[in-house]
Amino acid sequence: MVSMTRFRWCRQQFTKMLVLPALLFVPALQMALSTNAAEISGPAPDFTLKSAQHGNLRLQEYRGQVVLLNFWASWCGPCRKEMPALQDLYKKYEKFGFVVLAVSVDEDTSAADEFMGTVEVDFPYLYDTESKVSELYAVEAMPTTVVIDRDGQRRFLHKGYQPGFEEKYRKNVKQLIRE
């Protein structure tokens, strides 16, 4: 039988080993997530992908508009939470020459269709079943969002999603619409 003193000592050691590193890790994680946005430059690589609603779509067709290119997956929890916020952003700014292109990286298009059947979106969603476009854009996190200006230049990159990130997207979009 373990004495109460020994039990308390073990519990303290356990706390030191697990809780303290976790307390140090959480602020570092929050800082990393809060700095998920970056200004970038360079031409947005052109691509053509099959769309669920509109046949094949080519990025080049949207030249002259501000494009929010969002890479997502049906299995990604943050992607699922983000989609309604993207719809709100799209509805607010589409009349100013803004479009959202949601690129599913699911290998199975039915998984993407099943999820999109549960949310109401008016913008096109596309299938990147072989991850070729994801590779072109060096997608490392789900979701990844690239904001492209009217001249087809990549301007902003956002990795991951937490509630509130849509405010960053809004600021990016407003800036590019005004240019």
Side-chain angles (χ1 to χ4, degrees):
M1 185 162 164
V2 176
S3 72
M4 206 50 152
T5 305
R6 180 80 176 140
F7 175 77
R8 285 188 194 112
W9 181 86
C10 289
R11 187 177 64 193
Q12 288 171 345
Q13 296 308 310
F14 179 77
T15 301
K16 287 178 187 175
M17 288 180 354
L18 293 180
V19 174
L20 288 174
L23 291 174
L24 295 173
F25 176 74
V26 169
L29 179 62
Q30 287 175 331
M31 184 169 27
L33 289 173
S34 68
T35 59
N36 76 326
E39 288 192 32
I40 56 175
S41 63
D46 192 25
F47 61 84
T48 301
L49 287 174
K50 182 180 178 193
S51 165
Q53 314 92 322
H54 308 287
N56 289 338
L57 294 180
R58 183 175 178 198
L59 179 63
Q60 184 69 27
E61 295 169 1
Y62 294 94
R63 183 62 72 69
Q65 296 185 51
V66 174
V67 177
L68 187 143
L69 186 60
N70 179 260
F71 293 90
W72 65 279
S74 63
W75 46 262
C76 166
C79 301
R80 290 172 165 265
K81 290 180 182 174
E82 179 183 48
M83 206 57 71
L86 295 179
Q87 172 64 17
D88 292 344
L89 190 65
Y90 175 67
K91 291 311 281 179
K92 185 170 186 172
Y93 293 104
E94 72 174 317
K95 61 186 167 254
F96 301 107
F98 169 68
V99 67
V100 173
L101 297 177
V103 180
S104 168
V105 300
D106 287 298
E107 292 178 1
D108 179 9
T109 60
S110 65
D113 291 338
E114 184 178 330
F115 167 67
M116 288 304 244
T118 66
V119 294
E120 290 184 36
V121 296
D122 298 329
F123 51 80
Y125 68 95
L126 311 137
Y127 305 116
D128 186 22
T129 57
E130 296 176 10
S131 298
K132 291 181 180 178
V133 177
S134 303
E135 289 173 15
L136 273 177
Y137 283 83
V139 172
E140 299 172 347
M142 278 295 122
T144 291
T145 301
V146 179
V147 187
I148 303 167
D149 70 17
R150 295 179 191 276
D151 295 325
Q153 298 294 307
R154 293 174 297 148
R155 297 285 294 278
F156 300 99
L157 172 67
H158 301 270
K159 295 179 183 180
Y161 174 77
Q162 285 188 338
F165 282 9
E166 58 275 6
E167 182 60 25
K168 295 175 186 179
Y169 303 160
R170 186 187 66 75
K171 287 178 182 177
N172 295 159
V173 168
K174 279 180 70 174
Q175 176 185 333
L176 297 180
I177 285 173
R178 290 179 179 154
E179 291 182 355

